Amino acid sequence: MNSSDRGGPVLGALVAGVDGSESAMRAVLWASKEARRRDRPLHLVYAADTDSRMIYASMETIEQVRNAGRDLLEETAAMVSERYPGLNVTKELSRRDPVASLHTAAGNHGTIVVGNRGLGGFNSLLLGSVSLKVAAGARTPVVVVRGTEGAPAADVVVAAIHDEHDVDCARHAASEAELRKASLRLVHVWNVLESVGNVVTMLDAVDEMARNHVRTLMGVTDRIRADFPGLTVEADAEKSMSAAGVLVEATRHADLLIMGGRRSPGNFGPTLGRVTHSLLHHANCPVELIPRHGKRATSEPQ
């Protein structure tokens, strides 16, 4: 039985952006290994953004940009094929901006993989912003590759569970753990001060709140254990003033952190919540965001 038969994700191609930076190359290598693990193709995208440059750049300049993109795609594809013989690698030179290019390339089932830094200096800030925009606006999973290159495998996948609506996120994490022959750790963090209005209420209700939070986590855990009987699944409910702090610490002993890509509507379009934003900047391993659709997608402060 595969993961989609159990309500898990339909795993499409791995889509990796190529821009010549060291961070992007790390993302390509991570995506290549993941594509081999999933037995899915790897699609490399170079976003030349020539549509917007036509306003001010000469055709000669635009052609130079396109040629540089083609060369970089060829070199990157050759490097990947050398490391992973037999992997299906395709290439795309896009005329659009990076965010639109990656979203379009991913389609309905692809997983976008990006680095967390750019080429250095101002470009580093710009490309970091692109990665965040890709994550905030995606309707398919996005992985931001973080952590120390060459770090030994922890054989653990961590999933952040906020409430019962995170079953799909947990299933995705379970599928990733199975592919890695790793264990799965479900982590639920709750904050007493966000749950009560005053100290008296807190003293009277804290035990009941704790039971409710544990009950929520175990409801998700039981469903995952039923769907993935051969998988080792641990569940931890933790009380803390900082959900981000607990999750960042959890990534010290994980190969991958998976969490719902919750977003709140900002003045200039969708934005990532505070906890998600913190993890993308401070996690010690790659972070995979699973989009949450519907009403609950904008209701949580992460």
Side-chain angles (χ1 to χ4, degrees), residues 74-109:
E74 290 293 339
E75 292 169 4
T76 305
M79 180 271 296
V80 170
S81 296
E82 182 178 354
R83 293 198 181 199
Y84 299 94
L87 182 64
N88 182 6
V89 182
T90 57
K91 307 178 294 293
E92 177 184 350
L93 178 67
S94 173
R95 302 184 309 178
R96 304 172 69 188
D97 67 89
V99 176
S101 298
L102 291 169
H103 285 167
T104 300
N108 294 324
H109 302 297

Side-chain angles (χ1 to χ4, degrees), residues 202-269:
M202 180 176 69
L203 293 175
D204 291 341
V206 66
D207 288 343
E208 180 59 27
M209 283 190 299
R211 285 191 291 270
N212 288 338
H213 282 283
V214 171
R215 195 176 301 122
T216 295
L217 176 60
M218 293 314 300
V220 174
T221 304
D222 289 344
R223 294 177 68 174
I224 297 304
R225 285 173 174 163
D227 289 343
F228 298 82
L231 184 65
T232 299
V233 182
E234 299 179 359
D236 293 316
E238 299 196 28
K239 180 178 68 176
S240 175
M241 296 289 289
S242 171
V246 171
L247 293 172
V248 167
E249 182 62 28
T251 64
R252 294 184 184 278
H253 310 287
D255 300 317
L256 179 65
L257 169 70
I258 298 180
M259 61 192 303
R262 300 175 184 83
R263 49 179 94 133
S264 54
N267 294 331
F268 303 99

Side-chain angles (χ1 to χ4, degrees), residues 37-110:
R37 188 182 286 124
R38 294 185 184 184
D39 192 24
R40 292 294 186 270
L42 172 67
H43 187 60
L44 303 176
V45 178
Y46 181 89
D49 199 13
T50 51
D51 283 354
S52 65
R53 298 185 192 206
M54 285 183 176
I55 301 173
Y56 58 85
S58 67
M59 289 305 299
E60 180 180 4
T61 298
I62 288 174
E63 190 58 30
Q64 289 175 347
V65 171
R66 290 173 177 168
N67 287 335
R70 292 187 187 97
D71 291 343
L72 183 57
L73 283 169
E74 290 293 339
E75 292 169 4
T76 305
M79 180 271 296
V80 170
S81 296
E82 182 178 354
R83 293 198 181 199
Y84 299 94
L87 182 64
N88 182 6
V89 182
T90 57
K91 307 178 294 293
E92 177 184 350
L93 178 67
S94 173
R95 302 184 309 178
R96 304 172 69 188
D97 67 89
V99 176
S101 298
L102 291 169
H103 285 167
T104 300
N108 294 324
H109 302 297

Side-chain angles (χ1 to χ4, degrees), residues 87 120-121 123 153 161 185 195 231 257 259 288 296:
L87 182 64
N123 282 335
I161 305 300
R185 182 187 177 200
S195 304
L231 184 65
L257 169 70
M259 61 192 303
E288 183 168 6
R296 288 288 302 177

